[in-house]
């Protein structure tokens, strides 16, 4: 019999791991209860597709490549996010839905140090036909309040075991533009601004992916998009936007981003036939949420199976 | 501007698609409510790992290959099922849990014809430390009853639109051995036996993967495993087993199956250290469940994004 060379399991504090999974379970249940009350359908995720979110061009991105496999002669990409599919689903008649969507982003090894990057994680990815930014703000604030309220009531022992006290938040969350944040904290504003508060805040107006809608009512480069930032240094919780859906504007944005429109051919074909619609939505990272709720140092600490860039995987 | 060559969206009956997603949403909510009531934790899925379910050796399998990518020097496989990870999670102190687990199985194109194969789908994958087959039977019968009851109450209009009447089931479900089924229906018993009933039944004792426990209390080849078969020709609903967890038995089964133990090194190392435990569990396919509930011809018909072997994907 051959000798097996794998190392034993990474030592985990079992009690803490179980407590974190309990807090996660309470949070997930609160999420499902909330979206059902709000009349959302739950759709199933997909992991392989001819198209996926390009995640850029973004000078802040360190994704090395898009995971890809070949199957029966087709090249299929691993889901980086389901944003394009959410827009297509709206085109297929689904007006208000969420998806528990695993995302794979093959980050550079140095992202290990940020504490908030895992190379696979799950987003609570939602989209609403005809919605605006302010609709999403109201929805997400209600969602986060429901989650935190449930966790504080249903996971008392677990929070105590983890020595975690979640601060009381003030509603509604503050809205700040990225221009203001840059003026106050510099271009790397996220962690400083996050450390500077004990209530989440909305960072609005980011110059990023082509599907985030430009504010055509204003001069200059303004965008109808938003990130939600956790307090206490935990950083980004959610990212979202109103969406571009018109063919000419999508083509212009894709061209400006120097992306290859052929890569989005089936999506653009729907836009050309006017089968996409205005919508807004976002994606809330489950593991980052649990990291915040449990006050954990690294997002990998809350994963039963750590998926941290640069770490060797045993299983 | 280049001409885009993608074809327009596959024409879908929007009303039916939305009705199916509503029935799916009611079913998913019933699943979460049920597992919470029963005290299960919900864990997050993983999609990439150095180890995954071999799905065989199985003469009935037509999976062409395991999806694989390379990331930072590690070869990682796409999840075919999380069975090995469920056993490891029990080793890490998680005693009773479920996972909404997307599975990727790159099936041969001819599997398109079965009506029940998609190359990606989601399993409700659960595992219970120290449980036996009969514990699982009772749990799953309660789960399916809760789902069907909720769908019949909360999706009346949708069932009507789809012209679907779900028959009334008799509890507890019948248990039949695969030996009896083969005697009655021949080796390809699944669809004939499924057509022959209007209540699900348990097909027990399958000679299959190494992690399904052999019945060491009996002479000959008997196994402590089970499939749940839907009535009306819809076929397999769930697959599960009591598990092998002892190093020597696992090694023997792996050797008998002519699999390479090095591929399961980290899992076997845990077994060798006695860190795996007896458990039982199973996986209920979400899309097959929704196919049954909606009375759909093909499992792909209930997927917003069809993932049927041999079909060209647009998105």
């Amino acid at each position: 019999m051959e000798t097996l060379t794998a190392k034993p399991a990474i030592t985990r504090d079992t009690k803490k791991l179980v407590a974190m999974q309990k807090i996660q379970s309470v949070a997930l249940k609160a999420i499902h209860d909330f979206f059902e009350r709000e009349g959302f359908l739950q759709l199933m995720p997909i992991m392989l597709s001819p198209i996926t979110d390009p995640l850029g061009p973004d000078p802040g991105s360190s994704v090395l490549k898009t995971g890809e496999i070949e199957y029966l002669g087709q090249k299929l990409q691993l889901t980086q996010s389901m944003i394009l599919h959410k827009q297509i689903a709206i085109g297929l008649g689904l007006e208000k839905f969420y998806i528990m969507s695993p995302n794979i982003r093959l980050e550079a090894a140095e992202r290990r140090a940020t504490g908030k990057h895992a190379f696979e994680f799950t987003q609570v990815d939602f989209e609403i036909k005809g919605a605006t930014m302010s609709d999403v703000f109201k929805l997400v604030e209600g969602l986060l309040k429901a989650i935190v309220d449930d966790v504080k009531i249903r996971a008392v022992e677990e929070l105590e075991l983890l020595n975690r006290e979640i601060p009381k938040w003030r509603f509604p969350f503050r809205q700040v533009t990225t221009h203001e944040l840059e003026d106050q904290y510099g271009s790397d504003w996220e962690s400083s601004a996050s450390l500077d508060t004990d209530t989440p805040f909305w960072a609005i107006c980011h110059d990023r992916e082509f599907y985030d809608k430009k504010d055509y009512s204003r001069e200059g480069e303004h965008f109808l998009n938003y990130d939600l930032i956790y307090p206490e240094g935990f950083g980004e919780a959610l990212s979202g936007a109103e969406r571009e859906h018109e063919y000419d504007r999508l083509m212009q944005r894709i061209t400006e981003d120097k992306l290859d429109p052929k890569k989005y051919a089936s999506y653009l074909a729907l836009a050309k036939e006017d089968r996409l619609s205005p919508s807004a939505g976002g994606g809330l990272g489950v593991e980052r949420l649990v990291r915040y709720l449990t006050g954990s140092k690294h997002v990998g600490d809350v994963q039963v199976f750590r998926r941290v860039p640069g770490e060797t995987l045993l299983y």
Side-chain angles (χ1 to χ4, degrees), chain A residues 160-176:
Chain A
E160 216 171 87
L161 175 80
L162 297 168
N163 207 12
R164 170 66 172 155
E165 202 168 323
I166 303 169
K168 204 169 147 54
W169 295 342
R170 292 173 307 281
F171 292 90
F173 299 155
R174 196 163 46 103
Q175 295 167 30
V176 202

Side-chain angles (χ1 to χ4, degrees), chain A residues 47-63:
Chain A
M47 294 310 306
L48 293 171
S49 175
I51 58 172
T52 197
D53 184 349
L55 299 177
D58 176 358
S61 169
S62 78
V63 170

Side-chain angles (χ1 to χ4, degrees), chain A residues 40-75:
Chain A
F40 283 67
L41 295 181
Q42 185 178 1
L43 309 187
M44 300 315 292
I46 52 130
M47 294 310 306
L48 293 171
S49 175
I51 58 172
T52 197
D53 184 349
L55 299 177
D58 176 358
S61 169
S62 78
V63 170
L64 300 170
K65 59 178 175 182
T66 304
E68 190 176 88
I69 64 155
E70 197 170 315
Y71 169 49
L72 292 173
Q74 277 203 291
K75 287 202 168 145

Side-chain angles (χ1 to χ4, degrees), chain A residues 10-21 24 112 115-118 162 234 287-288 290-292 294-309 311:
Chain A
I10 298 161
T11 307
R12 302 292 287 265
D13 182 327
T14 293
K15 272 194 184 162
K16 284 191 179 169
L17 185 66
V18 173
M20 287 171 182
Q21 300 308 307
Q24 175 177 279
R112 181 183 185 172
K116 64 177 186 174
H117 284 92
L162 297 168
F234 289 98
E287 291 80 356
R288 287 180 177 184
V290 179
R291 178 188 175 219
Y292 175 77
T294 58
S296 298
K297 198 168 169 205
H298 201 291
V299 73
D301 298 342
V302 310
Q303 295 182 298
V304 177
F305 304 105
R306 291 174 68 91
R307 291 294 182 264
V308 177
E311 287 187 4

